[in-house]
Amino acid sequence: MSEKNLALLTFGCQMNKYDSEKIVGLLENSGIRLTDNLDTADIIILNTCSIREKAEHKVYSQLGRLTPLKKKNPNLIIGVGGCVAQIQGKKILQRAPQVDLVFGTLNINKLPGFIREIEETSARISDIDSNSDIDTDSAAIKREGAVQAWVNIMHGCDNYCSYCVVPYTRGREKSRTRESILTEIRGLSEKGFKEVTLLGQNVNSYGSDLSEGIDFPDLLSLIDKIEGIKRIRFITSHPKDLSDNLIKAMAELPKVCESLHLPIQSGSDSILQNMKRGYTSGEYLKNIDKVKEAIPEISLSSDVIVGFPGETDEDFEKTRDIIKSVRYDGIFLFKYSPRPETPASEFSNQIPNDVKQARFENIMELQKEITLNKNKKLEGKIVEILIEGNNKNDNSKLTGRTRTNKLVTIPTEGGFKKEDLTGKLIDVKITRANLYGLEGIIVGSRQ
Ligand code: SF4
């Protein structure tokens, strides 16, 4: 493949970020260079998200903006991957004549071949085969950072929550083999990475489809033994599969960080039932109590949907109540968005947008108060930070995270150099807290 420039636009979750790192790695191995300049790109790929209607609209409006570039350079190759591609397939080719390639979430490995074929034959390809091998050669992944890395441990989801498109875009649960995951993480450690975040739609059910007889707590303890890795995080856990063994592993394994993302979605049992979530608010709170007892310093985050079909004022009050009782460090809050092919999109009692918006703002205000209050409690405390590098908004400052996943900004006065501290664990005294993070000063280093 001749020297070409690739522009890659990534939408959506960490899973897509990880897939984009795979896409860059694969194509760079075929001599393609990454550029962020759309005008000089020879190949433009959109790695898309379809979790909400808005996300899908974004894809088509972005494709519309690429039409003039295609007119200017007819050899420009435009490709669409990710969840919108997996759901819509060749419909995208029909709806957007400027698109040359539609590929799925599970056949990214075939990308170099697709591009070669388009270059040689000017064909327009739509291939969303989901039977491809999920274990990419992890060495080919082009990581965005140098300290913290995403590691996908499984694909797909078997839960079929009534509002969610993921099982239709990412397929059934498939766990990667223990060896391919450990090889990837050993490779990361050799390259100097200090933290890994394990990714899966429901990491708690890792291994249930493997004959190796391994589960998620087992995998955590194997990763905990890898030299050089200092911190382990994971996302996302399904509350119905949160086992006592996992809570024990989180409490006992030194490298597993004290932060847990546990989506509740709603505080109302009737809504949870209609969502097909598989747990009640009581069972969820019991699990939260167990986690808090085993790991008192735990930081908790969650996903919450407001405006799910049939949600009454009483149901909504129950969601407020559970947020007040758990006191999350942060939540990802969403207004219910009907998604194609999902059962809930057919439910009769859809909630009007203005009611959704009012409930959204209401919960947002409630959570802001809790988050600020929890961050303020850290003022004056000394905490361990893993430095990730320069602060994105201010180059004279460094950024890092606590084990409880709070962002900390640190001035570099006092002669501290980025190159000396990046990837290091240091002690920081928190001097100021706000809604979005913390500020602190260096008081010591741990290694
Ligand atoms: S568990 Fe998560 S990814 Fe799976 S169907 Fe439910 S909401 Fe979607």
Side-chain angles (χ1 to χ4, degrees), residues 14 43-44 58 107 122 146 163 173 184-185 191 200 232 253 298 317 323 343 347 358 365 433:
Q14 291 94 340
I43 302 165
I44 299 177
K58 259 196 208 161
N107 62 356
S122 306
Y163 54 85
E173 282 172 15
E184 181 171 345
I185 297 177
K191 287 190 191 129
I232 305 167
L253 295 172
I298 191 86
E317 253 341 285
I323 290 172
F347 288 179
E365 284 317 304

Side-chain angles (χ1 to χ4, degrees), residues 51-237:
I51 205 77
R52 261 166 295 286
E53 199 166 3
K54 212 162 107 213
E56 213 164 276
H57 286 165
K58 259 196 208 161
V59 173
Y60 283 102
S61 54
Q62 179 65 55
L63 287 173
R65 285 195 290 279
L66 298 179
T67 306
L69 294 178
K70 185 81 177 183
K71 286 214 175 85
K72 207 170 70 189
N73 170 12
N75 296 327
L76 169 65
I77 295 175
I78 298 178
V80 179
C83 292
V84 176
Q86 190 66 44
I87 273 201
Q88 301 205 354
K90 58 177 174 301
K91 275 195 224 137
I92 296 176
L93 294 183
Q94 289 145 9
R95 200 168 148 188
Q98 68 274 48
V99 172
D100 307 284
L101 170 64
V102 177
F103 61 96
T105 54
L106 285 173
N107 62 356
I108 290 173
N109 300 356
K110 294 186 182 169
L111 210 43
F114 291 149
I115 291 180
R116 236 191 319 280
E117 190 183 338
I118 293 166
E119 278 184 333
E120 287 157 11
T121 67
S122 306
R124 297 179 73 216
I125 299 172
S126 171
D127 183 330
I128 53 172
D129 159 26
S130 48
N131 295 319
S132 297
D133 173 13
I134 60 171
D135 268 334
T136 311
D137 165 16
S138 55
I141 299 174
K142 181 79 188 296
R143 309 284 168 173
E144 214 171 283
V147 174
Q148 186 287 123
W150 313 111
V151 176
N152 202 3
I153 64 169
M154 58 193 298
H155 281 262
C157 185
D158 290 353
N159 289 308
Y160 288 89
C161 301
S162 63
Y163 54 85
C164 183
V165 285
V166 171
Y168 309 97
T169 61
R170 299 235 167 218
R172 303 295 303 228
E173 282 172 15
K174 276 188 200 166
S175 302
R176 289 178 61 195
T177 60
R178 127 190 25 207
E179 216 25 64
S180 78
I181 295 169
L182 297 178
T183 305
E184 181 171 345
I185 297 177
R186 287 191 204 105
L188 287 167
S189 167
E190 279 149 28
K191 287 190 191 129
F193 284 84
K194 296 287 185 296
E195 178 179 303
V196 290
T197 302
L198 310 178
L199 300 178
Q201 307 297 349
N202 178 15
V203 292
N204 297 6
S205 59
Y206 172 78
S208 55
D209 59 316
L210 294 176
S211 56
E212 302 178 33
I214 182 170
D215 65 9
F216 189 49
D218 298 337
L219 181 69
L220 285 175
S221 63
L222 290 168
I223 298 170
D224 192 73
K225 295 190 181 70
I226 297 180
E227 283 283 314
I229 295 295
K230 301 287 179 199
R231 288 180 168 186
I232 305 167
R233 300 184 190 279
F234 54 87
I235 192 166
T236 294
S237 293

Side-chain angles (χ1 to χ4, degrees), residues 265-280:
Q265 304 298 8
S266 170
S268 150
D269 288 349
S270 63
I271 296 290
L272 288 172
Q273 198 168 5
N274 294 342
M275 285 178 165
K276 281 194 63 214
R277 286 293 286 167
Y279 54 83
T280 63

Side-chain angles (χ1 to χ4, degrees), residues 327 364-374 435:
R327 292 184 63 73
M364 191 59 101
E365 284 317 304
L366 170 65
Q367 184 56 47
K368 277 185 185 168
E369 239 177 81
I370 297 171
T371 300
L372 184 57
N373 180 283
K374 300 202 89 169
L435 192 54

Side-chain angles (χ1 to χ4, degrees), residues 334-394:
F334 308 102
K335 287 179 276 182
Y336 171 70
S337 167
R339 306 306 304 128
E341 294 188 39
T342 59
S345 63
E346 310 290 327
F347 288 179
S348 56
N349 38 14
Q350 300 286 332
I351 305 290
N353 280 336
D354 58 338
V355 176
K356 283 184 197 170
Q357 185 59 31
R359 289 177 180 170
F360 183 90
E361 288 163 14
N362 180 306
I363 296 261
M364 191 59 101
E365 284 317 304
L366 170 65
Q367 184 56 47
K368 277 185 185 168
E369 239 177 81
I370 297 171
T371 300
L372 184 57
N373 180 283
K374 300 202 89 169
N375 286 355
K376 285 273 176 208
K377 283 215 172 80
L378 290 170
E379 286 179 348
K381 296 264 181 355
I382 294 182
V383 288
E384 178 207 85
I385 307 290
L386 174 62
I387 299 289
E388 291 174 6
N390 265 353
N391 179 284
K392 284 205 181 72
N393 312 321
D394 179 345

